[in-house]
Amino acid sequence: MRSDLIFIRSKVLALFACAIFLCAMMGLVFIDVRWVNNAIHENSLTEVAQELMLLAISLLFFWRGYRYCSLRPTLTLVGGFYSCMFIRELDFLFDEISHGSWVWFALAVTLVCVVIAARQPERTLTGLADFLRHPGWGMMAAGLLTVMIFSRLFGMQLLWRHLMQGDYNHAVKNMAEEVCELLGYSFCLLATCRYLFGAEKLTARPQQSD
């Protein structure tokens, strides 16, 4: 019975921690809209938070991949995927070089990560299977679906123009889409921490030497 109480307490505390984190993220939106009067553009706190979360996720996976040699191919692939998402979020900076040039940087990262994973195909497949079996995958999948599917559909101009008729305001539509993305990235970051630092141990030994 004591073990059950400890388990329940840990889950409740984790739930409250996630709730506090999401409240903090929503607080950034309030600051942007209410006090900064920013319509959530590239330099808004909301956008910066999205970029920082993607950067943190990428670095965490790369770091753990460096420490765990048997999981390196898998963690490198996942880290590369989020790195490409990070580069895509910074497209406005890469446009200073050439419009759409972010694609080439993302392809370069993809190529490097795929080559690393392809060198050990069995470890890569086993690691990916373990990753998908982990309890944190459900939250990460929800985050990715929110960012890649729901936010795009919810942010369609056709929907918002029909809703607001002649009073269409692009800032409102943009805020709705960006807030959905913020929620999705928050789920991904929480799932990353759950996977890399949760009670379940990664099925690999720390790297000593290659």
Side-chain angles (χ1 to χ4, degrees):
M1 180 176 178
R2 179 178 174 79
S3 61
D4 289 337
L5 289 174
I6 293 175
F7 175 78
I8 293 172
R9 183 183 64 181
S10 66
K11 292 300 181 181
V12 171
L13 289 176
L15 179 64
F16 274 104
C18 292
I20 292 172
F21 178 75
L22 292 177
C23 287
M25 292 300 100
M26 196 62 204
L28 298 179
V29 179
F30 273 94
I31 293 173
D32 278 332
V33 175
R34 181 65 179 84
W35 287 287
V36 182
N37 291 322
N38 191 318
I40 309 187
H41 297 299
E42 286 82 2
N43 62 344
S44 65
L45 293 176
T46 302
E47 287 272 12
V48 171
Q50 294 177 15
E51 294 152 9
L52 289 177
M53 282 192 283
L54 285 173
L55 179 61
I57 294 170
S58 302
L59 294 178
L60 284 172
F61 274 105
F62 286 140
W63 172 61
R64 296 296 270 188
Y66 171 77
R67 292 197 63 226
Y68 290 83
C69 57
S70 64
L71 284 177
R72 184 176 300 155
T74 299
L75 299 182
T76 299
L77 272 183
V78 180
F81 173 75
Y82 281 102
S83 295
C84 291
M85 294 182 71
F86 174 65
I87 292 171
R88 175 63 182 87
E89 285 292 332
L90 295 178
D91 62 330
F92 64 96
L93 291 180
F94 291 105
D95 283 346
E96 297 295 326
I97 302 174
S98 176
H99 182 69
S101 62
W102 70 269
V103 174
W104 302 109
F105 290 91
L107 286 175
V109 172
T110 301
L111 178 62
V112 172
C113 293
V114 169
V115 168
I116 292 174
R119 292 171 61 188
Q120 299 175 309
E122 291 186 7
R123 283 186 175 182
T124 301
L125 291 176
T126 300
L128 283 174
D130 290 339
F131 176 64
L132 296 178
R133 291 190 188 101
H134 193 276
W137 166 246
M139 179 178 285
M140 183 171 287
L144 291 174
L145 290 172
T146 300
V147 172
M148 296 181 169
I149 305 297
F150 183 80
S151 69
R152 298 293 183 265
L153 296 176
F154 190 59
M156 291 178 62
Q157 283 197 26
L158 179 65
L159 174 66
W160 290 91
R161 287 187 182 277
H162 182 77
L163 177 66
M164 292 186 278
Q165 299 296 327
D167 297 323
Y168 173 74
N169 188 325
H170 183 75
V172 174
K173 171 262 179 193
N174 190 55
M175 187 196 78
E177 183 175 355
E178 294 301 327
V179 169
C180 289
E181 289 189 15
L182 184 68
L183 176 64
Y185 290 137
S186 297
F187 284 159
C188 290
L189 179 58
L190 292 171
T192 297
C193 294
R194 177 75 170 84
Y195 174 66
L196 297 178
F197 306 108
E200 300 84 359
K201 302 299 182 183
L202 294 182
T203 55
R205 55 179 176 81
Q207 173 186 347
Q208 301 297 327
S209 60
D210 284 339

